[in-house]
Amino acid sequence: MRRVKAGEVDCFEPIVETYKKQIYIYCCRMLGCKQDAQDAVQDIFIKAFTKLHLYEAKVSFSSWLYKIAYHHCLNLIRKRRVRLRVSRLMKPAGHADSVEQTLERRWFSEPLEYAMNKLSVEERNLLVLRVFEDKPFSEIAQILDKNLSAVKKKYARMKQKVIKLMEEKGGHGVMRDYGQSDEDRMLRSLELQSVEDEIDVTPAIMRQVRQIHQKKQGRGFRNRRKYFMMASLSAILILSSMSVYASQYFIQIKNKEGEIILTTMKPWKYTESEYNAKRERETEEELSKRLKPGEQAVYYIKDRHMTSSAKKYPLNYFYKTIQHPNYNDLAKEIEEKGAPLLQEPEYVPSGYFFDRGQIQIRNEPVWGTPEYESLLNELKEQAARSDEEQGLFYKRVSWSKIASTVMEYRKDESRIIFIAFAREKGSKAGVPTEQAVKLTVNGKGMILSSNSVSANRKLTWLSDNEEVMYVITDDPKDPLSNDDFAKIAAGLLPE
């Protein structure tokens, strides 16, 4: 949460992954409808993100989140003004009748249903938190903003109320709470089976989170083409110093101070309008003909068929890179521009040779700044004066920051890509992945990752000063072994 508050919105994703299931189960119990619960989960996490400035670490994060969930469910219940039924809270989906019959026999009786329907929303919430969620009274007090003793007294009164109502309906009051009674535990285990659905709300939540963050920052979120990776190498005897750990998803690399500087995260999944992509591709092909190597232009596409995302952030940047056919020419540009260093590797697998190298720059100004608005107005005025229905309007602009140094080595149709990304020291870097292993090469922690979005693998690590992120990407047509990755990487590490 501290990192999210500091602007690292992608750190909100593991928070969602950690809590989404239990919040979904809670909403199912409170709302009695799985579809309503799934929608509520998304709204609850979005509310949590927009209210994160109110969160203080002295309060349990779980309690804070449940408090938001409770008030959200309460509002939904008030709006639809429908009493929740125990049958909807507990009815198993897709399970054997024996489970349903056991539940009926133990808890789901007409007297209990009658009693539960007589409870207020707050009383029902108290029962759910205590029995189903197994939460201590101290945490329930935080969630409800109540005094601890008041919560205990209210729970005791609620139990007696349920017992009385059940007896009134002709049943037996079995509501007990000696810590967690056998009946409570059985009810809880059976009820959990009814909401074991896997819900995939994280991508939708993160899309909204990024949009909210972009709006606050005055920046648009734009699909960047990422070439992963890396650099400078000499073959040092490394197999003896390489450690490989078991495959897993969540990996963290720490610096000497124990701070996390590199971590895995779920790969980004978002789509772009095919028409937008086609128009931008055509535009950049045209600009490539008009610009000289090393020049950058900001451009505006006049086209009423462009989708809303393109219209919201209408300016784009195109930099025509200087393509170097050999390493010596690339090294000169690296020195001239102060780009992240990529040494010529002393080891690459047999058959690979240097194909090309280039320096990528970082586009400025950013969305929402006065400079951006000035450029946008200038190009829109040009477009308004033009009779063209589909036109390209651009202006050459200077650049100020280096983004990365890139090298490609080729063997027939296969390529190994090396990239050194310039980065700000002090923030944690993320590796989008679904599966990864940790390598230790000459004492340096690295992440070897892969995911279903692309078939290639990537080896990622940070320089000692944490100001450069190195990435090596192999080609699925000619995949590298772990040893090959490690041998190439060894040359980048200081002796």
Side-chain angles (χ1 to χ4, degrees):
M1 283 297 287
R2 284 195 296 270
R3 290 185 178 276
V4 176
K5 284 185 176 183
E8 296 181 52
V9 292
D10 285 331
C11 291
F12 196 68
E13 186 165 349
I15 294 175
V16 176
E17 284 292 301
T18 300
Y19 290 99
K20 68 178 182 181
K21 186 60 178 292
Q22 53 189 278
I23 294 298
Y24 170 64
I25 293 172
Y26 171 81
C27 291
C28 281
R29 292 163 177 153
M30 289 297 293
L31 301 176
C33 173
K34 292 181 180 180
Q35 183 57 53
D36 289 349
Q38 185 161 324
D39 294 339
V41 169
Q42 297 187 45
D43 293 337
I44 288 163
F45 278 103
I46 295 303
K47 284 184 178 180
F49 179 75
T50 58
K51 295 176 180 291
L52 59 86
H53 61 285
L54 301 176
Y55 172 67
E56 297 179 3
K58 63 184 181 181
V59 178
S60 158
F61 177 75
S62 172
S63 300
W64 185 76
L65 188 60
Y66 268 96
K67 184 183 297 184
I68 294 174
Y70 165 62
H71 287 292
H72 183 76
C73 289
L74 182 60
N75 288 337
L76 291 178
I77 293 168
R78 283 171 176 167
K79 286 178 181 178
R80 67 189 187 187
R81 305 185 65 84
V82 174
R83 297 283 187 180
L84 293 179
R85 295 172 60 85
V86 142
S87 59
R88 297 182 69 191
L89 281 170
M90 304 178 187
K91 183 179 178 181
H95 293 278
D97 287 343
S98 58
V99 174
E100 196 168 340
Q101 290 165 0
T102 302
L103 184 60
E104 172 83 20
R105 209 166 43 245
R106 283 281 188 148
W107 279 90
F108 181 45
S109 62
E110 185 179 350
L112 180 58
E113 179 183 5
Y114 170 79
M116 289 292 287
N117 281 329
K118 294 291 185 180
L119 294 180
S120 69
V121 175
E122 186 176 356
E123 289 170 332
R124 186 184 299 114
N125 181 54
L126 183 57
L127 180 62
V128 168
L129 291 173
R130 179 61 181 166
V131 177
F132 296 143
E133 298 293 324
D134 196 20
K135 291 192 175 296
F137 284 116
S138 58
E139 187 171 350
I140 296 174
Q142 286 185 344
I143 294 170
L144 299 180
D145 278 329
K146 302 286 186 182
N147 178 273
L148 177 59
S149 60
V151 169
K152 289 182 177 180
K153 290 178 182 177
K154 189 173 185 66
Y155 182 75
R157 289 196 301 269
M158 184 270 298
K159 282 201 302 181
Q160 293 303 315
K161 181 177 178 179
V162 171
I163 292 171
K164 184 177 179 180
L165 288 167
M166 289 181 65
E167 290 174 345
E168 178 182 307
K169 195 67 177 176
H172 298 288
V174 294
M175 186 70 193
R176 298 196 299 272
D177 180 53
Y178 308 120
Q180 276 283 312
S181 67
D182 291 339
E183 289 89 346
D184 289 350
R185 281 193 294 272
M186 181 172 187
L187 171 62
R188 185 169 185 267
S189 65
L190 290 173
E191 198 276 340
L192 284 173
Q193 296 183 56
S194 70
V195 285
E196 276 298 306
D197 318 55
E198 288 298 329
I199 57 169
D200 188 22
V201 296
T202 305
I205 291 172
M206 290 307 299
R207 278 196 295 272
Q208 293 184 64
V209 163
R210 293 184 182 108
Q211 288 170 2
I212 293 169
H213 178 69
Q214 291 151 17
K215 188 174 181 181
K216 287 182 179 179
Q217 299 298 317
R219 319 184 161 200
F221 180 74
R222 189 169 174 263
N223 189 4
R224 299 176 179 86
R225 295 186 182 94
K226 294 187 177 190
Y227 299 100
F228 282 96
M229 330 331 181
M230 178 218 119
S232 188
L233 326 150
S234 7
I236 296 173
L237 187 57
I238 120 235
L239 294 181
S240 61
S241 64
M242 182 182 76
S243 302
V244 183
Y245 301 84
S247 179
Q248 54 184 304
Y249 158 61
F250 188 66
I251 295 175
Q252 296 178 334
I253 303 296
K254 299 181 180 180
N255 59 17
K256 294 179 180 178
E257 288 72 36
E259 300 168 329
I260 298 170
I261 57 174
L262 184 63
T263 182
T264 54
M265 62 185 185
K266 290 288 185 181
W268 295 311
K269 295 180 182 178
Y270 53 87
T271 59
E272 183 181 24
S273 161
E274 291 184 4
Y275 185 78
N276 286 6
K278 175 177 177 292
R279 292 291 284 120
E280 289 184 9
R281 185 170 59 251
E282 293 170 348
T283 298
E284 295 187 355
E285 288 174 357
E286 180 61 28
L287 284 173
S288 184
K289 299 174 185 176
R290 302 187 189 186
L291 299 180
K292 297 177 182 178
E295 286 187 333
Q296 179 183 224
V298 58
Y299 66 88
Y300 172 77
I301 302 174
K302 179 183 179 182
D303 189 338
R304 63 186 179 85
H305 298 295
M306 297 287 278
T307 62
S308 57
S309 61
K311 292 175 182 176
K312 187 175 182 181
Y313 306 107
L315 291 189
N316 288 292
Y317 294 84
F318 175 75
Y319 174 74
K320 186 172 182 179
T321 58
I322 303 172
Q323 297 290 330
H324 299 291
N326 58 70
Y327 179 78
N328 289 337
D329 289 348
L330 175 63
K332 290 178 183 178
E333 190 183 5
I334 291 174
E335 185 175 359
E336 290 171 359
K337 294 182 176 177
L341 176 63
L342 273 176
Q343 298 175 172
E344 185 174 15
E346 294 185 12
Y347 170 81
V348 290
S350 177
Y352 281 92
F353 62 91
F354 187 98
D355 185 54
R356 58 184 176 183
Q358 62 189 35
I359 306 296
Q360 290 283 0
I361 58 90
R362 185 173 297 151
N363 298 318
E364 291 192 357
V366 296
W367 292 273
T369 62
E371 294 85 354
Y372 178 90
E373 297 301 325
S374 176
L375 285 169
L376 176 58
N377 291 335
E378 181 180 342
L379 295 180
K380 284 181 112 176
E381 287 175 7
Q382 291 181 24
R385 291 195 297 268
S386 172
D387 294 331
E388 295 180 83
E389 291 188 4
Q390 293 181 325
L392 163 64
F393 302 89
Y394 70 97
K395 180 180 181 179
R396 288 177 175 83
V397 292
S398 59
W399 56 269
S400 60
K401 293 185 179 180
I402 297 294
S404 62
T405 303
V406 184
M407 293 192 305
E408 294 187 27
Y409 275 69
R410 182 166 65 87
K411 181 178 74 173
D412 299 324
E413 297 302 317
S414 300
R415 293 180 180 274
I416 301 175
I417 302 175
F418 308 90
I419 301 184
F421 290 102
R423 64 185 300 273
E424 296 292 332
K425 182 179 179 180
S427 61
K428 182 171 65 177
V431 179
T433 183
E434 293 169 342
Q435 185 176 14
V437 296
K438 180 180 177 182
L439 302 186
T440 301
V441 179
N442 291 353
K444 170 67 70 174
M446 305 180 181
I447 295 174
L448 183 59
S449 60
S450 62
N451 63 70
S452 60
V453 177
S454 58
N456 51 25
R457 294 200 300 166
K458 302 173 178 65
L459 181 65
T460 307
W461 73 96
L462 298 185
S463 61
D464 287 341
N465 62 10
E466 300 173 22
E467 293 179 355
V468 181
M469 181 170 76
Y470 293 109
V471 189
I472 308 172
T473 303
D474 70 358
D475 193 311
K477 297 188 292 292
D478 186 29
L480 298 179
S481 67
N482 287 13
D483 289 351
D484 282 331
F485 271 113
K487 287 180 181 179
I488 295 172
L492 263 180
L493 303 177
E495 296 184 6

